[in-house]
Each structure stands twice: as structure tokens, then as C-alpha cells.
Amino acid sequence: MIGTFEFSAISQRGEPATLVAFAQFTPDPEAPLNGDESFLLGQIRLATKDGRVVDYVEGELISLEDGEIFIPGDEMIFDLLSIA
């Protein structure tokens, strides 16, 4: 299962941007079988809303296409990346 999450950000040039995180979830094989499925967070891929691939490199969100750095409006994206 894939989930998508959107985050507001500002580019290094001061322009607003939207980052999209595509998070892969897999069923938890150790979850109790009580009818409710549990999922584990897997790989996360990032992109800008306009389609540029973004990578998390040494604490920064950087466009692989043009090297532009993005500063998220919310630190939640860093929390998500740190547990993946």
C-alpha cells in the first residue's frame, strides 16, 4: 500500500513549494490476527508537486534535478524520514 502526504515548503530562492512524500506501507507479519491489519512504514520517495525528485541528504531536502534546497514549513517530514 502506498500513502501520499503533502508538505508546504519554501525554496532556497524564497518561493513557495509543495513537497509530496510517497510512503510505502507493508503488512506487519507480527501483528495479532484480530481482524485489524497493522502496517510497517517502508521506503519513502519525495518529489515536488511539479515533478522534481527530491532526496534527503545530510539533513536537507534537495532537488536531484537542479540542486535546489527546500525548507519545509513543518518539521513533521523530518520525523517521517527519520523513522523510515
Side-chain angles (χ1 to χ4, degrees):
M1 177 171 78
I2 304 262
T4 58
F5 306 91
E6 291 188 5
F7 300 91
S8 62
I10 299 291
S11 73
Q12 67 191 27
R13 295 177 290 169
E15 297 173 352
T18 300
L19 300 178
V20 181
F22 300 92
Q24 182 178 0
F25 295 92
T26 57
D28 183 353
E30 297 181 14
L33 298 174
N34 62 1
D36 293 331
E37 269 192 285
S38 292
F39 293 91
L40 300 172
L41 178 61
Q43 186 175 26
I44 298 174
R45 297 204 184 267
L46 297 168
T48 61
K49 191 96 173 201
D50 63 5
R52 292 179 284 164
V53 176
V54 174
D55 200 4
Y56 180 63
V57 179
E58 298 180 11
E60 294 185 314
L61 301 169
I62 301 173
S63 167
L64 296 181
E65 184 177 308
D66 58 14
E68 186 161 19
I69 297 171
F70 296 95
I71 302 160
D74 184 337
E75 296 292 315
M76 187 174 98
I77 192 167
F78 292 122
D79 296 337
L80 185 63
L81 291 167
S82 70
I83 62 173

